Amino acid sequence: MAGRPRVVIIGAGIVGCALADELTARGWTDVTVLEQGPLFAAGGSSSHAPGLVFQTNPSKTMTDFAAYTVAKYRDLSLDGRPCFTQVGGLEVATTPERWRDLHRRHGWAISWGVESELVGPGRCAELWPLLDTAQVHGGFHIPSDGLADAVRCGEAQARRAIERGARFLPGHRVVAVEHRGGRVTGVTAEVLAGVLAGVLAGGPGPALPGAGTVLERVTAPADVVICAAGFWGPSVGELAGLTVPLLPLAHQYARSGPLPALAAAREAVLPILRHQDRDLYFRQHGDRIGVGSYSHRPMPVRQDEIAARATTMPSVQAFTPADFDPAWRDAAELMPALGDSKPEEGINGIFSFTPDGFPLIGEAPGLAGLWVAEAVWVTHSAGAARALAEWLVDGHSAFDLHECELSRFEPVQLAPAYVAERGGRSFIEVYDVVHPLQPMDSPRPLRTSPFHPRQRELGAFFLEAAGWERPHWFEANAALLEDPVRLAPDAEAFIGAGARDEWAARYWSPIAAAEAWATRQRVALYDMTPLKRIEVTGPGAAAFLRRMTTNIVDRPPGAVTYTLLLDPGGGIRSDLTVARLGEEHFQVGANGNLDLAWLRRHAPPDGVGVRDVTAGTCCVGVWGPRARDLVQPLTDLDLSNEGFRYFTVKSGYVGQVPVTMMRLSYVGELGWEIYTTADLGLRLWDLLWEAGRRYGVAAGGRAAFNSLRLEKGYRLWGVDMTPEHRPEEAGLGWAVRTGGDGGDGGDGGDGGDGGDFVGRDALEALGGEVTRRLVPLLTERVVMGREPVFHHGRAAGYVTSAAYGHTLGRAIAYAWLPAGAAVPGTAVEVEYFGERVPARVAAEPLFDPEMTRIKR
C-alpha cells in the first residue's frame, strides 16, 4: 500500500463518517464511503439514536473514546449550528447500594481524568427540578457530558472529509467483498434506483434501503475495506467469510407529551440523566422528556428480520407498549410530572451488542485489508474512529485497544448461540452493578481442563474467563485454617479478612490464605491449562520470533526466555515465555487469542507455522519448597538445581505420562510447569496428587495465585500494563535487548544484541526518560483495581492489580504513578468508594528479592 491507499468504508452512519474524517485528516484522502441508504439519515442506529454521551466507564479505553468524542463534537458545527450540546450528565442513586457505587464511578472518573463531582439531593434538584428528591440519596455529576446529534455530527464530519477528497455514495448496497491471495481488492455494490432518485430530488429517499430497483452493479477497487455497517455488520462479514460477533437488539425509547414545567423550553438545557436503579435514562426534548429503557426483555432481531419488521426506517421497529409500561411507571415515580403524561413517539430502536459489551475494532483474521469498526455507539464514535485511523496510518493507536480488538474472542465464543446468549446478557447488564470478578452465569461450564473432575471433588469454587472454568479456591483446604498457629504467629494478619470490606470479600474466601501458605511452606498444584499455548515451527521460526519479540529467543534448544511483544509505537502488546523445544520448534506461552492473531498476521507465508495447541494440551504448575521432592521420584529427568536450571525446558516422563517440563514459577517458589496432552491430563494429576500426599500437597486456586504473584511483582498484561505503556516504565526494561547489555539468562533473558524487532525504532526515538512507573503500594485495606491514587492531595495515578499478600500480612496494590512519586517510602492515598486509604510506595519485589526460593 505504497503512497495513499484506496479505502472503501461500508456505511455512512456516524462511525463511517468519523472514520472518513479521521483518515483524510491524516492524508489518506482516496476514501470512498458506500451507503445503502440516503445521506445522512441513512436508516441505521445513528439515525434514531438519542445521542447521550456519558463518559465515565470502568474501562479506561472506553472513557478515553468518549472523552475524545466530547472534545471533537463540542467544536463541531453544521451550517452555523452546533452538533453537540454540553448540558452535562447526572446519575442518581435511589438506593444505598447505588449511592455507594456512584462513589466507585466517581473514582473511575478521577482515575481516567474526567472532571466530576458527587452531589447531594439538593444539588440534584437544582440540576433536574423535575426529580422527586425524597427518593434520591445523591448524584454523580459530570459537567462535560452532553448530547450529540448523531446525524448532524456525521454530516459535518463527512463534509470535512469530502473537502479533502473523500466521496460519499448513497444507494450503494455492498453485495460482495472481492479478494485475491488473502487480501481484499475491493467491493461490489448494487446501485439502488429508489435511493438515488430520492437523493437527486432532495428528498430522504425510500424508507428502506433496497426498496428501489437495482440500476447496475459497480466494483470499487480498494486496498483497505472497513465495515462500519452497524447492525448489518454480520451480513457484510458473511460476504468475506468473517464472523462478526454482534447481536442486533431492539431498545425502547419514547417521548412524553408536553410538560407544563418545561413549557418555555425550546431546546435541551437539563443534563442527561440516568436512573440506573431502574435501568432508565432521560434527556430533554424542549418541552418534552425522552425516556430510554434497558429494563425490558432482550428483543433480538435477526439479519433477515431487520427490513421486514421496520417501520419508518430499518433501525426502527414497531413500539411494543406492554414492554414499556413498567418502565414508564418507574420513570413517573422518580419524576412525578410524567404521571400526568403518557409515552408518545415510542420506538423499538435497534442497537448492536457484543458478548462482552465492547466494540469490535480491527483487521479480519485471514483476510488482510478487511477491517471492522462495529458495535460502536455514538458515545464512543469519534474516539473509536480516531483509534482505527491511527492504527491504519501509523501501524498502532495511542489508545489501548486490547478490550476492543476483533480477534480477542476464542472460536467457541463466535458460535451463534454464544453470541445470542451473551449479547442478550450484555443488554441486561448495561446498568447493573457488576463486580470485577463476577462471572457469566451461562453458558457454563463451557471449557474445562482435564483436571476438572478432581477439582470438583475438592470443592472448587469456579469463576470463568474466556469460557474456561478456573478454580479460585478449594473447600477441601478449609481444614488448613483450623490450626492458626501453623499458619502464622498472627493468623488474622495472615488471612487478611479484616482488611476486606463486603465488596472486596465477594468472590473470595479466607481459604485462599491457606492455599498461599501451602504453596510457600509445602507444595501446591495449580491448573495452568487456560493459558494460551502457541506452537511456532519451521526453518524460519527462530528468525520470525527474533523479529517479533524484544529478548533473545534464538538460544539453544532447552532455553526458555521471557520476552515482550511490542506494537510499532513501542507499547507493550503482550508478554510471552518462549521455550525452544528444538531447532525449528518453539512453544510460546501467551496471554490470549490476540497474541495468536498478531503472530499469524505477521508470520511469513513460507517457512513458519503458527498453531494454537491449547485445546489439545494441559498444564499443571507444581510449586513450593517440596516441589522437587514430589516430582523427582516420578520422573526420569534430573531435577537437581544443576541438572535443571531455572528458565530451561526438558522433555521426559512423569510415570507413564510423556511431559514437557519448564522450570518457571509465577508464584515465587521452586517448581515446574508440567505439560502433557489433554488425554493424559487426569492421569498426570492423579500421579502428582498421590505422590504429594506425604508432603501435604494442596490444590491452589487463582485467588492464592494472584496474591503470590503480586508479592513477587509479576505483571499481568492487560491489567498492569497495556500498549499504552513502554517496557522501562513497567519495570521490564531488562526484557528488551537492543544492545550488548549483559544478562546471564537467570531471569529468562540473555546478553547480546536483540537485533531488530517490532517497536525497536520507536523505543530508541522515545529515549530513556521515564516520567511514570508501575510500583507496588502497601495499603491499609484491600482495594480492587482502577481506584485513583492521590499524592499530596492531588490525583496522580491509578491502581491496576490488588490483593492481600498473605506471606507479608499486608494488602498490596500495584499502581501507575509519576516518576517523582514512585519512590519507595512515598506516602500516597488510594480512594476506595470515596474513602481515602493510606498507602506507601514500596521497593520491589516485596518477597524474596534475592530469588533464593525459586533458584534453590
Side-chain angles (χ1 to χ4, degrees):
M1 295 191 301
R4 296 178 175 177
R6 299 166 298 177
V7 179
V8 168
I9 298 172
I10 303 171
I14 193 170
V15 176
C17 293
L19 273 167
D21 184 36
E22 296 286 341
L23 285 170
T24 56
R26 288 167 173 77
W28 282 25
T29 55
D30 190 351
V31 174
T32 301
V33 182
L34 303 181
E35 171 53 56
Q36 63 179 344
L39 302 174
F40 284 92
S45 298
S46 300
S47 301
H48 76 263
L52 285 71
V53 181
F54 279 99
Q55 296 168 83
T56 308
N57 192 287
S59 164
K60 182 178 186 296
T61 297
M62 299 301 281
T63 301
D64 289 344
F65 280 177
Y68 180 77
T69 298
V70 167
K72 182 177 185 180
Y73 293 169
R74 183 182 55 209
D75 298 329
L76 204 60
S77 63
L78 183 67
D79 298 330
R81 293 174 52 208
C83 297
F84 184 83
T85 307
Q86 199 158 44
V87 293
L90 178 66
E91 302 178 21
V92 294
T94 59
T95 64
E97 294 76 19
R98 182 67 64 175
W99 180 227
R100 178 170 162 79
D101 193 60
L102 291 187
H103 285 75
R104 183 173 67 130
R105 295 179 64 79
H106 182 232
W108 296 338
I110 297 170
S111 291
W112 314 146
V114 177
E115 180 186 352
S116 63
E117 60 179 345
L118 292 167
V119 297
R123 178 59 175 153
C124 290
E126 292 175 7
L127 292 166
W128 253 89
L130 276 64
L131 290 176
D132 177 7
T133 53
Q135 300 186 50
V136 175
H137 291 256
F140 174 43
H141 180 222
I142 310 94
S144 56
D145 286 349
L147 292 164
D149 186 315
V151 174
R152 292 174 56 77
C153 286
E155 183 172 354
Q157 292 176 98
R159 287 189 188 181
R160 299 201 305 200
I162 290 168
E163 289 175 358
R164 302 185 190 111
R167 297 188 303 158
F168 279 72
L169 302 178
H172 282 61
R173 179 174 58 202
V174 173
V175 294
V177 175
E178 310 296 342
H179 53 91
R180 182 175 58 253
R183 169 169 285 281
V184 297
T185 58
V187 300
T188 296
E190 294 177 338
V191 182
L192 306 175
V195 176
L196 289 180
V199 171
L200 293 172
L208 303 179
T213 59
V214 177
L215 288 177
E216 61 177 327
R217 281 194 170 204
V218 296
T219 297
D223 305 297
V224 173
V225 174
I226 306 172
C227 177
F231 50 70
W232 283 287
S235 292
V236 175
E238 191 175 345
L239 299 176
L242 172 68
T243 298
V244 177
L246 173 161
L247 180 69
L249 284 161
H251 159 62
Q252 292 196 296
Y253 186 81
R255 300 189 191 195
S256 71
L259 300 178
L262 301 176
R266 294 290 177 268
E267 58 185 0
V269 294
L270 298 176
I272 53 178
L273 175 68
R274 287 203 277 199
H275 178 24
Q276 297 182 91
D277 286 320
R278 292 293 184 270
D279 296 309
L280 296 172
Y281 64 83
F282 306 84
R283 62 152 293 179
Q284 184 183 6
H285 295 279
D287 63 351
R288 301 166 187 255
I289 297 296
V291 182
S293 171
Y294 291 102
S295 64
H296 57 79
R297 61 189 170 89
M299 303 177 187
V301 184
R302 296 197 315 265
Q303 295 287 293
D304 60 358
E305 294 177 325
I306 292 173
R309 288 168 48 183
T311 56
T312 58
M313 65 178 73
S315 63
V316 174
Q317 311 283 295
F319 188 59
T320 51
D323 290 305
F324 198 71
D325 285 346
W328 188 261
R329 289 193 295 270
D330 288 338
E333 184 179 0
L334 179 70
M335 211 172 298
L338 292 176
D340 298 326
S341 182
K342 61 181 180 180
E344 298 179 0
E345 303 177 55
I347 64 169
N348 287 10
I350 302 177
F351 285 91
S352 301
F353 289 79
T354 60
D356 59 6
F358 285 96
L360 305 170
I361 300 171
E363 192 172 18
L367 186 54
L370 177 61
W371 294 72
V372 301
E374 291 288 349
V376 179
W377 292 5
V378 172
T379 305
H380 309 107
S381 54
R386 173 187 157 185
L388 182 50
E390 289 174 340
W391 193 351
L392 284 163
V393 176
D394 303 327
H396 67 99
S397 173
F399 296 97
D400 164 27
L401 297 180
H402 83 272
E403 294 167 313
C404 306
E405 285 194 45
L406 174 68
S407 298
R408 66 188 182 270
F409 294 108
E410 297 286 333
V412 68
Q413 296 173 298
L414 299 177
Y418 185 94
V419 173
E421 182 169 354
R422 294 309 307 160
R425 190 68 203 172
S426 292
F427 177 91
I428 293 171
E429 293 177 348
V430 164
Y431 284 169
D432 284 1
V433 177
V434 178
H435 192 277
L437 294 178
Q438 183 174 319
M440 67 181 189
D441 296 324
S442 177
R444 291 182 64 190
L446 191 59
R447 308 174 79 186
T448 58
S449 82
F451 317 136
H452 188 254
R454 297 296 181 262
Q455 292 166 346
R456 293 187 63 181
E457 291 169 6
L458 293 170
F461 180 87
F462 292 98
L463 296 181
E464 177 273 340
W468 285 102
E469 294 294 316
R470 303 206 300 182
H472 274 241
W473 66 83
F474 296 86
E475 291 296 331
N477 294 324
L480 293 174
L481 295 172
E482 295 175 1
D483 185 0
V485 176
R486 295 173 62 195
L487 288 177
D490 186 347
E492 174 59 31
F494 184 84
I495 294 171
R500 293 177 181 268
D501 67 349
E502 181 274 335
W503 184 255
R506 289 189 196 178
Y507 304 106
W508 176 83
S509 168
I511 294 172
E515 294 170 8
W517 173 84
T519 309
R520 290 275 188 249
Q521 301 299 322
R522 297 175 178 173
V523 62
L525 306 185
Y526 287 83
D527 184 358
M528 305 302 289
T529 301
L531 297 183
K532 178 71 72 175
R533 290 174 291 286
I534 302 170
E535 186 179 73
V536 181
T537 57
F544 168 62
L545 289 171
R546 188 167 60 241
R547 165 67 178 158
M548 295 304 299
T549 68
T550 62
N551 211 337
I552 310 296
V553 297
D554 192 1
R555 301 167 66 203
V560 181
T561 305
Y562 177 87
T563 187
L564 306 175
L565 290 178
L566 304 184
D567 66 21
I572 304 173
R573 271 201 65 95
S574 190
D575 64 338
L576 312 173
T577 53
V578 178
R580 191 164 198 172
L581 305 183
E583 287 294 333
E584 299 180 359
H585 187 192
F586 294 81
Q587 180 173 306
V588 176
N591 282 296
N593 220 48
L594 290 178
D595 298 337
L596 176 67
W598 182 258
L599 292 174
R600 282 178 170 169
R601 186 171 294 126
H602 289 84
D606 300 309
V608 176
V610 178
R611 187 167 70 99
D612 182 1
V613 297
T614 310
T617 57
C618 59
C619 175
V620 57
V622 184
W623 292 314
R626 306 306 299 269
R628 183 178 287 119
D629 298 330
L630 189 161
V631 183
Q632 183 64 85
L634 302 176
T635 183
D636 58 333
L637 299 173
D638 177 6
L639 302 189
S640 68
N641 192 47
E642 296 73 22
F644 204 142
R645 304 291 292 178
Y646 186 54
F647 261 83
T648 60
V649 57
K650 295 179 182 292
S651 294
Y653 289 86
V654 170
Q656 306 84 9
V657 179
V659 297
T660 298
M661 294 179 60
M662 298 184 196
R663 190 172 169 191
L664 308 177
S665 173
Y666 287 93
V667 298
E669 294 293 334
L670 171 70
W672 288 264
E673 292 180 353
I674 306 179
Y675 299 86
T676 191
T677 52
D679 60 323
L680 292 169
L682 194 59
R683 177 64 174 168
L684 174 63
W685 179 279
D686 288 345
L687 285 168
L688 295 170
W689 188 262
E690 188 59 34
R693 288 182 185 275
R694 63 184 297 187
Y695 303 111
V697 68
R702 295 293 297 182
F705 178 91
N706 197 48
S707 169
L708 297 168
R709 68 112 183 153
L710 283 178
E711 289 182 333
K712 280 298 293 178
Y714 293 143
R715 279 73 167 132
L716 178 61
W717 185 84
V719 177
D720 298 315
M721 56 191 183
T722 73
E724 290 185 324
H725 306 113
R726 289 185 287 131
E728 193 67 34
E729 298 172 330
L732 297 175
W734 57 269
V736 180
R737 304 299 188 186
T738 58
D741 51 358
D744 63 2
D747 55 6
D750 199 357
D753 189 344
D756 193 18
F757 54 81
V758 174
R760 174 172 178 164
D761 291 345
L763 288 184
E764 293 181 343
L766 289 168
E769 183 180 3
V770 174
T771 60
R772 59 181 176 176
R773 291 189 183 278
L774 179 67
V775 293
L777 310 178
L778 294 178
T779 64
E780 292 190 2
R781 66 187 308 172
V782 176
V783 299
M784 298 298 295
R786 302 186 175 120
E787 296 88 359
V789 180
F790 289 78
H791 180 232
H792 293 319
R794 302 184 64 177
Y798 59 90
V799 172
T800 59
S801 294
Y804 191 83
H806 299 290
T807 314
L808 304 176
R810 295 292 304 275
I812 304 168
Y814 265 75
W816 282 99
L817 289 176
V823 179
T826 302
V828 296
E829 293 177 307
V830 178
E831 184 170 300
Y832 181 70
F833 286 94
E835 177 187 346
R836 296 287 177 89
V837 177
R840 189 169 297 276
V841 178
E844 64 173 344
L846 301 170
F847 175 77
D848 189 27
E850 302 301 321
M851 302 283 283
T852 56
R853 297 178 71 93
I854 292 179
K855 296 184 178 182
R856 56 180 151 190

